[in-house]
Every structure is written in C-alpha cells, then in structure tokens.
C-alpha cells in the first residue's frame, strides 16, 4: 500500500520538477518535495508505524530510492535551467560594438601643409627633387655663403633670431630657405634640380601679412649652360601647373646678394591682378663657389617664395595670423 503511494508521489514529483520553468520555481519545488512537509518526509514519518519489519525495510528502500531520483532530477533540471537563463542574460547584456557609431571625426591637413604638399607635387611633376635643411643654421650658411658678408646692408632686412650657442652671432634660426642651396650643392654633383621647403624665422612683430615663423620653398637648378630663359620658363610652367592655365607670370628686376641678375616674379590672375610671389635670379658665382662647385663649369638659377602666402591667396584669407590661431571654426572651412 505504502509502496504504491511512494511510487505515485515519485511520478508526480518528477512531473513537477520537469514543469519548473525557472531556477526560482525549481527551488520552490525542491522545498515542497524534499522539505520537512514534503510527501517523502511524511512517508518517512509513517514508516515507524508499519507493523511488519519487511514492509518497513521495503518502504525505507523505496523512499530512499525515490528521494534520490527526485534529487537527481532536480540537479539535472537545475543545470538545464541555469544554462538557459545564462544564455538569455548574455544575450540581453550583449553590446554590439559594430552598431555603436563612435567613429572619430575625420580631420584634414592644415591649409599651409596642403599648399606645401601641392607645391612639392607640382615641382616633382616638373622634374625637381625635394630636399630639406636644418632650421638652426650657422651665420655662414644663412648669410656668408650666400654672398652676404657681415655688415652687408641686405642683412638688416632679415631680423635675425640668434641662438645663445657658440661664438656670439654664429648660430641662428634660418631667416630663409636659401642656405639649403649651399647644403645641396655641397652634397650633390650637378645636374641639380631641387626644391627645398621649410620653416623660417624672423624677429618681426606679426601683422596681417607677416609672421615671425613662416614657411618658404626654395628652388635651385645647377647644370651646364643654364640661362635666364630657363628661369623664366620654369616660373611660367610652375605658374600654369600650380594656379591653372589662365595664369601667367612676369619677372621684374630686383636685388638679392646671392643672385645676379636678380628678379622678383609676379603672377597675373585671370582677372588681371598681379600677385607678388617671390624672388629669383641667376645664382651668383660666389654662391656656386661656396657650394664647392666651379662657376666656370656650372651655372644655375634659384628662386624662393612664401608657402603661407600661397595658402592665404588660394583661400582668400584676409589675415595670416588667422591661419595659426588654431580656431576650428576657421580651420574646418578648408
Ligand atoms: N631668400 C629670399 C628671401 O627670403 C628669397 C629668394 C630670393 C630666394 C631670390 C632665392 C632667390 O633663391 O634667388 O627673401
């Protein structure tokens, strides 16, 4: 009789365990089934009242077996439910990082860098190579080798920043990119077709058209039989390549210690305005010599102009200081 009750209770218990749909429900079922008030505990209490020892033994064995099977079913169900719940939780907490749009905003090169790089591109297209020299120079490279000895009046136009290094006045921040001409001639054997962009420094108060730190690009050609016609042709080819077909150039006589004759070149816009761009000329024999070359064998032309100025004109910037104010509202326009 008792064995039938135990078997029925076991069947019901197993159904109950399988029916639990969460670990919380399962915990409740466990307390109900195996707890002190559960059916099996009650049967156990009744065992003592049984008359026959054989019934007691069989009943005890059936009860033990039943509670073990319920325990095993609970453990198995608990493992299944926990795995399912964990999967649900993981899915809920999943972060799809490919969906979160936190791509950084894309910036761009500064307009002076853009002009610098375009100038290099255009000159490379005309057959030039690119070289760079040091920003800290000696007086010799910056002036003397460029046919500008001490006390030369042209020096007063370069308000030079001198460094507190070596003999006073011997070390400075280069005032132009022209000293790189000397370094290039000392390093290479002609033919030389080179442009030399870089940063230059002058001890001046900044205004709408001047900065104490700015950029120039220098050009140097040294070859056999170079004439002023080559210079004019190169300036014209550069003008068309950089500004466009509607632009032309002209040379005006001028003076620089390192070129003879010297000129300044202007560019005519399609509207007919003339823009003063830079200086140029035939490399002075003293400069060729300072570069370690024989001016009887080699001749050349040189030019130099401001890069910031090109960016300013190209983008119609009214005041060069704006280009270095680091104001994003300005910079983001280009
Ligand atoms: N170095 C001159 C300056 O800074 C510019 C210049 C003029 C460079 C004539 C040249 C040149 O190479 O031939 O004002």
């Amino acid at each position: 009789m008792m064995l039938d009750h135990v078997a029925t209770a076991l069947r019901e218990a197993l159904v109950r365990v399988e029916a639990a749909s969460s670990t919380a429900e399962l915990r409740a079922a466990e307390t109900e089934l195996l707890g002190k008030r559960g059916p099996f505990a009650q049967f156990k209490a009744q065992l003592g009242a049984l008359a026959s020892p054989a019934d007691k033994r069989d009943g005890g064995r059936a009860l033990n077996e039943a509670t073990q099977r319920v325990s095993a079913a609970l453990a198995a169900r608990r493992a299944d439910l926990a795995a399912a719940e964990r999967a649900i939780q993981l899915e809920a907490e999943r972060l799809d990082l490919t969906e979160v749009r936190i791509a950084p905003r894309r910036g761009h090169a500064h307009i002076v860098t853009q002009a610098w790089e375009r100038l290099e591109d255009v000159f490379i297209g005309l057959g030039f190579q690119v070289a760079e020299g040091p920003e800290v120079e000696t007086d010799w490279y910056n002036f003397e080798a460029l046919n500008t000895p001490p006390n030369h009046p042209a020096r007063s136009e370069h308000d030079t920043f001198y460094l507190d290094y070596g003999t006073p006045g011997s070390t400075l921040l280069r005032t132009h990119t022209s000293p790189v001409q000397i370094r290039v001639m000392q390093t290479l054997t002609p033919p030389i077709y080179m442009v030399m962009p870089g940063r230059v420094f002058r001890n001046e108060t900044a205004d709408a058209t001047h900065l104490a730190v700015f950029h120039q690009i220098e050009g140097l050609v040294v070859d056999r039989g170079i004439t002023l016609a080559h210079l004019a042709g190169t300036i014209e080819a550069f003008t068309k390549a950089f500004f466009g077909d509607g632009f032309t150039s002209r040379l005006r006589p001028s003076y620089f210690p390192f070129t003879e004759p010297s000129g300044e070149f202007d560019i005519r816009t399609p509207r007919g305005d003339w823009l003063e761009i830079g200086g140029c000329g035939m490399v002075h024999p003293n400069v060729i010599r300072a570069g370690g070359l024989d001016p009887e064998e080699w001749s050349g032309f040189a030019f130099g102009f401001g890069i910031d100025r090109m960016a300013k004109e190209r983008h119609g910037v009214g005041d060069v200081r704006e280009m270095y104010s680091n104001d994003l509202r300005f910079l983001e326009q280009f």
Side-chain angles (χ1 to χ4, degrees), residues 91-106:
E91 180 59 27
E93 289 177 0
R94 187 169 69 118
L95 289 180
D96 184 350
L97 295 179
T98 62
E99 252 182 38
V100 182
R101 299 279 302 166
I102 47 167
R105 279 198 304 167
R106 192 165 172 180

